[in-house]
Amino acid sequence: MATIVGGLGLSHVPAIGGAIKRHAEHDPYWRPFFDGLPPIRRWLADTRPSVVVMFYNDHGLNFFLDKMPTFAIGAAPEYRNADEGWGLPVQRPFRGNPELSWHVIEHLVAQEFDITMCQEMLVDHAFTVPMQLLWPGIAEWPVAVVPIAINTVQHPLPSPGRCYKLGRAVGEALAQWTGKERVAIVGTGGLSHQLDGKRAGFINKEFDLYCLDALTNDIQALTQLTIPELVELSGTQGVELLNWIAMRGALPATVEKSHVSYHIPISNTAAASLLLTEPAAKSREQAA
Ligand code: DHB
Ligand code: FE
């Protein structure tokens, strides 16, 4: 059985990639955001995951409005990044784990999720920026990856309840896997933001802080929200919270908030990081 070492939520604003490119992490604008990351990096160094399962949303690099799967899973030996027009450096390829991907796909389809399986898949900033934040300046990515793209772009979107169930099914698949992989689950995007329309610039701190608690202690409340309610509360692009909800679904029923950071704004977005671990995991890791 694979071991789920913990769950991470991370914003994926392209401007963060720009700050990394310019080595601007210590500038006054960026510092409050980047200061939230060292505890997560220390945890990664301690727990040494071998695989990242990442719930994220593609913004038009691999899928466009003409063909938009609700849920798409990578089953490729390698995932490439490409220029999306943000001026970010193209990241080196990410190693896949096709055997594990196919195992997850088999389980999801058996559980009646009608997913799209991708033996080729480009990954955009929603995937690369979190990876850069987790492992800055590293010569080789130290993990294999299983990318899972959730449609947060073209309505109708999957409900929070459905995304939670998707995550739960991924967690079940990992529990049934015979390999010894150590898996970190990541959900990217959010928190509240709206890039377009009359409410462009909308941020909802109260709702964000509620979510950071509810993801830990009251996920059922978040799964009751409808998509129109989520848009109202978090903004049109804040619905990327769906990726965090799926991440939470893959974790054990009880988790603790090992680390959280929240900073307004990064570009147009309320930027956050969250680390959720199993309460017993700390002592088990220390004993090992
Ligand atoms: C921004 C945020 C996003 O989630 C994204 O995908 C693109 C841009 C922003 O705040 O600029
Ligand atoms: Fe986004």
Side-chain angles (χ1 to χ4, degrees), residues 175-188:
Q176 290 170 18
W177 176 242
T178 51
K180 294 276 181 276
E181 279 78 357
R182 295 170 58 76
V183 184
I185 313 286
V186 182
T188 90

Side-chain angles (χ1 to χ4, degrees), residues 8-22:
L8 290 158
L10 281 171
S11 299
H12 64 218
V13 182
I16 297 171
I20 295 171
K21 174 182 160 185
R22 298 192 311 279

Side-chain angles (χ1 to χ4, degrees), residues 12-14 59 86 125 193 195 240 266-269:
H12 64 218
V13 182
H59 300 68
W86 292 107
H125 72 271
H193 63 301
L195 302 178
E240 291 173 344
I266 290 299
S267 187
N268 299 293
T269 297

Side-chain angles (χ1 to χ4, degrees), residues 23-67:
H23 306 290
E25 291 94 330
H26 298 291
D27 288 2
Y29 181 87
W30 290 104
R31 200 178 180 128
F33 171 70
F34 280 94
D35 275 355
L37 297 162
I40 291 178
R41 293 173 186 153
R42 283 196 290 274
W43 175 80
L44 287 170
D46 287 347
T47 51
R48 299 176 314 282
S50 56
V51 173
V52 159
V53 173
M54 191 181 296
F55 296 97
Y56 73 109
N57 57 297
D58 183 274
H59 300 68
L61 180 68
N62 193 75
F63 304 113
F64 200 58
L65 302 182
D66 58 337
K67 299 181 197 71

Side-chain angles (χ1 to χ4, degrees), residues 12 55-59 63 65 68-71 124 126 148-158 163 188-190 193 227 230-231 235-244:
H12 64 218
F55 296 97
Y56 73 109
N57 57 297
D58 183 274
H59 300 68
F63 304 113
L65 302 182
M68 182 58 72
T70 299
F71 300 129
D124 78 352
I148 306 182
I150 295 181
N151 168 32
T152 70
V153 172
Q154 161 97 14
H155 289 255
L157 309 184
C163 293
T188 90
H193 63 301
I227 289 294
L230 190 55
V231 169
T236 43
Q237 280 73 35
V239 293
E240 291 173 344
L241 182 68
L242 293 172
N243 300 321
W244 295 49

Side-chain angles (χ1 to χ4, degrees), residues 24-241:
E25 291 94 330
H26 298 291
D27 288 2
Y29 181 87
W30 290 104
R31 200 178 180 128
F33 171 70
F34 280 94
D35 275 355
L37 297 162
I40 291 178
R41 293 173 186 153
R42 283 196 290 274
W43 175 80
L44 287 170
D46 287 347
T47 51
R48 299 176 314 282
S50 56
V51 173
V52 159
V53 173
M54 191 181 296
F55 296 97
Y56 73 109
N57 57 297
D58 183 274
H59 300 68
L61 180 68
N62 193 75
F63 304 113
F64 200 58
L65 302 182
D66 58 337
K67 299 181 197 71
M68 182 58 72
T70 299
F71 300 129
I73 307 191
E78 183 180 88
Y79 304 92
R80 290 185 173 269
N81 176 222
D83 181 17
E84 299 167 58
W86 292 107
L88 301 177
V90 171
Q91 296 299 306
R92 59 194 172 281
F94 301 85
R95 179 168 46 91
N97 183 333
E99 295 78 16
L100 180 57
S101 285
W102 284 115
H103 168 77
V104 174
I105 289 166
E106 293 272 0
H107 184 77
L108 290 178
V109 174
Q111 295 301 310
E112 302 181 347
F113 285 90
D114 304 318
I115 47 90
T116 298
M117 50 201 107
C118 303
Q119 300 193 61
E120 273 186 42
M121 197 174 182
L122 291 172
V123 288
D124 78 352
H125 72 271
F127 189 98
T128 58
V129 166
M131 288 294 284
Q132 289 175 269
L133 290 173
L134 296 178
W135 289 285
I138 207 152
E140 285 288 326
W141 300 115
V143 288
V145 299
V146 177
I148 306 182
I150 295 181
N151 168 32
T152 70
V153 172
Q154 161 97 14
H155 289 255
L157 309 184
S159 68
R162 186 68 177 150
C163 293
Y164 177 71
K165 285 182 187 156
L166 175 79
R168 217 173 46 190
V170 168
E172 288 163 8
L174 293 172
Q176 290 170 18
W177 176 242
T178 51
K180 294 276 181 276
E181 279 78 357
R182 295 170 58 76
V183 184
I185 313 286
V186 182
T188 90
L191 292 175
S192 62
H193 63 301
Q194 171 143 346
L195 302 178
D196 50 13
K198 284 203 191 102
R199 287 202 311 170
F202 172 80
I203 280 178
N204 186 346
K205 180 175 178 180
E206 193 185 340
F207 181 65
D208 290 338
L209 296 181
Y210 163 74
C211 286
L212 289 168
D213 275 339
L215 281 158
T216 317
N217 298 319
D218 194 10
I219 187 63
Q220 293 307 330
L222 286 182
T223 64
Q224 300 307 307
L225 293 172
T226 65
I227 289 294
E229 286 167 343
L230 190 55
V231 169
E232 175 96 37
L233 287 163
S234 71
T236 43
Q237 280 73 35
V239 293
E240 291 173 344
L241 182 68

